[in-house]
Amino acid sequence: MDENTQKLVVVDLRIPFFRLVFFLVKLSLAAIPAAFILAALAFVLSALLNVLFGGHMDMFMRRWSM
């Protein structure tokens, strides 16, 4: 290791309560559009895999209609 590097140990982190609450509310609100984006990407990926590997949905429909 380099002689100029120093080790740092964080012992305490002081965050005011309401600032932490505000941050967590913002985080939860930001998760909503992120979930929509991830769901859209999962839909596109599953549709692409269905096209590439020739998934047959009629097999599943026949199984459940009995």
Side-chain angles (χ1 to χ4, degrees), residues 1-9:
M1 295 186 98
D2 192 87
E3 292 181 21
N4 293 331
T5 59
Q6 297 178 355
K7 293 184 179 182
L8 176 69
V9 177

Side-chain angles (χ1 to χ4, degrees), residues 31-49:
I32 295 169
F36 284 128
I37 292 170
L38 289 175
L41 288 175
F43 175 75
V44 169
L45 181 65
S46 64
L48 181 66
L49 289 175

Side-chain angles (χ1 to χ4, degrees), residues 5-64:
T5 59
Q6 297 178 355
K7 293 184 179 182
L8 176 69
V9 177
V10 177
V11 177
D12 191 14
L13 184 63
R14 296 178 189 214
I15 301 174
F17 177 73
F18 289 110
R19 187 175 293 230
L20 183 62
V21 168
F22 183 65
F23 172 72
L24 292 175
V25 168
K26 285 174 48 175
L27 183 68
S28 64
L29 290 176
I32 295 169
F36 284 128
I37 292 170
L38 289 175
L41 288 175
F43 175 75
V44 169
L45 181 65
S46 64
L48 181 66
L49 289 175
N50 192 18
V51 167
L52 289 177
F53 295 113
H56 298 286
M57 289 304 294
D58 59 341
M59 178 181 72
F60 296 113
M61 294 298 192
R62 276 188 258 141
R63 180 182 298 171
W64 292 107

